[in-house]
Amino acid sequence: MITHPEKPAHGGNPSAVLRYALIPVTGYGIAVATVTGMLDDGAGGGRARVLGPAETIPYGAHPVLLAETTVYGARQVEETLMRWGSLPRPWLVWISDAPARPVADARYLVRALEGRLAGVARVPYLPVLRAVKDPGEAMEHKSVLAAAQRLRRTMEGTR
């Protein structure tokens, strides 16, 4: 992965600057799509978007790894970081896949990787994601809006 200057996102707001380049390390699903919407915050793909396979990280965008709170997810993050190179340290958005805390092995591995990350932001388990048709519908729910606000505050350094 390399970085390069970014033009406005396809169909996005031309006045918006891409802030987050999202890299799902455990696959793309409703959780990743919803986190993308959470970070984009209504900018039509201008603030946050998922990078395609082999797509470079746009210049000025913060790389963000997206993974589920499983041992597999933590291992995928570790493997991605082993190939990371000299790029800016990425954020990890750790998306809860169950209404329980991650298993000890996953927690320990992510804790060991924190020195290679810009930060770790956790998204709680959101049961509504099992019942929605798309991320837009998910963003109408109070629990998702609250999680989105906490995620943005964490990643933007405001508490």
Side-chain angles (χ1 to χ4, degrees):
M1 290 180 212
I2 58 171
T3 62
H4 64 85
E6 174 68 5
K7 297 176 185 155
H10 309 290
N13 180 352
S15 65
V17 175
L18 188 67
R19 184 172 186 146
Y20 301 110
L22 308 178
I23 305 163
V25 298
T26 55
Y28 187 86
I30 187 65
V32 169
T34 302
V35 168
T36 303
M38 290 173 166
L39 291 174
D40 192 45
D41 196 21
R47 279 180 44 92
R49 69 178 173 84
V50 174
L51 297 182
E55 186 176 353
T56 58
I57 298 169
Y59 182 76
H62 299 286
V64 179
L65 304 178
L66 304 170
E68 294 177 345
T69 56
T70 60
V71 173
Y72 176 78
R75 291 276 306 149
Q76 291 300 110
V77 170
E78 179 182 39
E79 289 179 22
T80 301
L81 290 173
M82 283 195 273
R83 298 185 310 270
W84 197 254
S86 63
L87 293 171
R89 290 186 308 163
W91 270 89
L92 170 61
V93 173
W94 217 23
I95 306 165
S96 186
D97 67 318
R101 60 189 285 201
V103 296
D105 287 348
R107 290 193 319 267
Y108 297 148
L109 182 52
V110 167
R111 190 175 310 140
L113 297 171
E114 283 180 349
R116 295 162 60 185
L117 297 165
V120 178
R122 290 170 176 81
V123 173
Y125 177 68
L126 298 166
V128 70
L129 295 184
R130 298 177 53 82
V132 296
K133 293 180 278 215
D134 57 47
E137 185 179 340
M139 294 300 291
E140 296 172 3
H141 292 268
K142 185 177 179 180
S143 61
V144 176
L145 291 172
Q149 187 175 39
R150 282 190 307 273
L151 176 62
R152 287 190 302 269
R153 272 197 314 244
T154 299
M155 293 185 68
E156 293 167 3
T158 57
R159 294 266 171 189

